Each structure stands twice: as C-alpha cells, then as structure tokens.
Amino acid sequence: MPDLPARRIHTLFAGLYLRTTQRWMRFLGTRRDPEFAYLTIIRFYEIYRAAMHTPLQEPVAGPWRRYHGLAGGLTMAAPISSHLLLVSRGVRAHTRYDLGVAIARATHDYARLYGRAPDIERYKETIVGLQTGAAFQHAGLDYIDDHRRQQTGWRRFVLAVFHAGLRGLSWLWMPIFQHWRRAAWADARRAVEPPAPPNGNMAG
C-alpha cells in the first residue's frame, strides 16, 4: 500500500481494532453463551469495513466524518500526535455509534437463526461490561508497545509517554470509554424494543 494521504494511515486504527478483537475473542472463549456476542462482532466489522471502503472522492456521512477528514491529510510520516488523534477519532466513531447499530443488527440475526428474540440484557456484561473494557485497554498497551519498538528518537519517547498515560490514567479515560459503550447499548435497546402503546390503548 503506498504511503499516500488517506491510504496506509488507515492501518493504524486497523491494528488496534485487530488486537482488541483478538482480546475480546479470548474473553468470549471463557463464556458459557457467547453466540450473541459473536454475531455482534460480525456486524461490528461489517460497519467498520464499509466506513473504510468509502471512495476518497465521496463525502463520508455520520460518525466517521471527522476521522476521514483528518486521515485525508496524513501519511505514516506525519507527527505521532496526529496519528494518536486519528486513532482516538476512530475509537470514538466505532465505539459510540457503530456498536449500537451492530448490536441491533445482531438481535435480528439471532432471531432468524434461533427462532426467538434474544434477551439482550443477559448479554450486556459480555458486550459492554468491565472485562471487555479491560480487553480494550490491554490491546491498546500491546499495540503501543509494538509501534514503540519500531520507532526511534522523539516518536519512541511520545509513545512511551502515551503508554504510561493509557495505563496510569485509566481512571480518567475509562469512564468516558465506558460511557460511549453504554450509550451505544442504550441506542440498540431503543432500536429493537417496540414502542410503548399510547396511554389510551392501555386502559382495560
């Protein structure tokens, strides 16, 4: 892949996404009923892939607009701070917005496969619980370590600082990350639950 603006730069978020999914899959291997989560992972990836395959000349709608706006001017030689900002924008778009859509679509997939709607509240801890949040943190630390070993000088130093911040300041950023995921879960619940009947229809 040529290192042109909005080309190879996408591998940065993709690398973090891959490591996070691997961590999540290992966690699901310990669960008794991971089927709904597996369906969510498939739908989650489909949404991400569609966002990445948008042609450069076409405007990107929705939560990925800010990510693509920044990626359009970046290469792998851009300042490391720009890389970190780009990855952060990808995390927010995918976590806060794509996750809710993926959960809602997985709900319909589950109903088609098993002939009944899932009790998705039963899967909440598996999908947006603290353990899956920890999986993201560990994946992020691994990801930064991988990149740090490939850098020298100032870039290596910045990644070392970011690694320390990701670990030491988890009390600050993890609640924000968890808020995005809980909001996505709430969006999914609203999307799959039938609307409440008008008060007049509830009489009797």
Side-chain angles (χ1 to χ4, degrees):
M1 184 185 297
D3 189 17
L4 299 173
R7 294 298 205 284
R8 194 182 300 170
I9 197 71
H10 292 312
T11 63
L12 292 176
F13 179 74
L16 176 61
Y17 187 18
L18 173 61
R19 287 165 178 79
T20 303
T21 303
Q22 290 170 334
R23 287 272 183 175
W24 194 10
M25 293 288 282
R26 286 199 291 270
F27 166 66
L28 292 178
T30 68
R31 308 294 286 183
R32 295 179 57 186
D33 49 359
E35 292 81 9
F36 183 75
Y38 288 142
L39 294 173
T40 300
I41 287 173
I42 293 170
R43 290 297 193 170
F44 205 29
Y45 174 69
E46 288 176 351
I47 297 167
Y48 163 71
R49 182 177 59 187
M52 292 300 101
H53 283 187
T54 301
L56 292 176
Q57 65 272 18
E58 295 183 11
V60 178
W64 285 94
R65 184 183 297 114
R66 295 183 66 196
Y67 170 93
H68 280 279
L70 180 58
L74 295 183
T75 67
M76 297 298 284
I80 196 72
S81 57
S82 298
H83 290 175
L84 296 173
L85 179 59
L86 181 74
V87 172
S88 297
R89 287 185 176 181
V91 169
R92 186 176 189 276
H94 201 44
T95 302
R96 171 59 188 90
Y97 298 100
D98 294 351
L99 180 59
V101 178
I103 295 168
R105 291 179 181 176
T107 301
H108 298 300
D109 293 338
Y110 187 99
R112 285 195 298 271
L113 284 170
Y114 298 103
R116 66 183 188 280
D119 177 10
I120 68 170
E121 199 63 30
R122 170 184 173 190
Y123 301 100
K124 184 175 182 179
E125 185 64 24
T126 302
I127 295 178
V128 298
L130 292 177
Q131 287 181 283
T132 51
F136 172 80
Q137 181 182 15
H138 290 303
L141 293 171
D142 292 344
Y143 173 73
I144 294 171
D145 275 342
D146 288 345
H147 280 275
R148 185 174 56 178
R149 284 190 288 268
Q150 301 171 31
Q151 303 296 332
T152 59
W154 174 251
R155 299 175 80 90
R156 186 182 181 93
F157 172 76
V158 171
L159 286 171
V161 171
F162 196 75
H163 184 280
L166 192 64
R167 182 187 297 277
L169 296 177
S170 60
W171 59 270
L172 180 62
W173 65 263
M174 183 61 81
I176 297 173
F177 179 69
Q178 289 294 94
H179 170 73
W180 293 343
R181 301 199 311 150
R182 287 193 297 268
W185 181 269
D187 289 345
R189 290 300 302 263
R190 285 191 291 270
V192 300
E193 289 180 347
N199 288 338
N201 292 345
M202 296 176 65

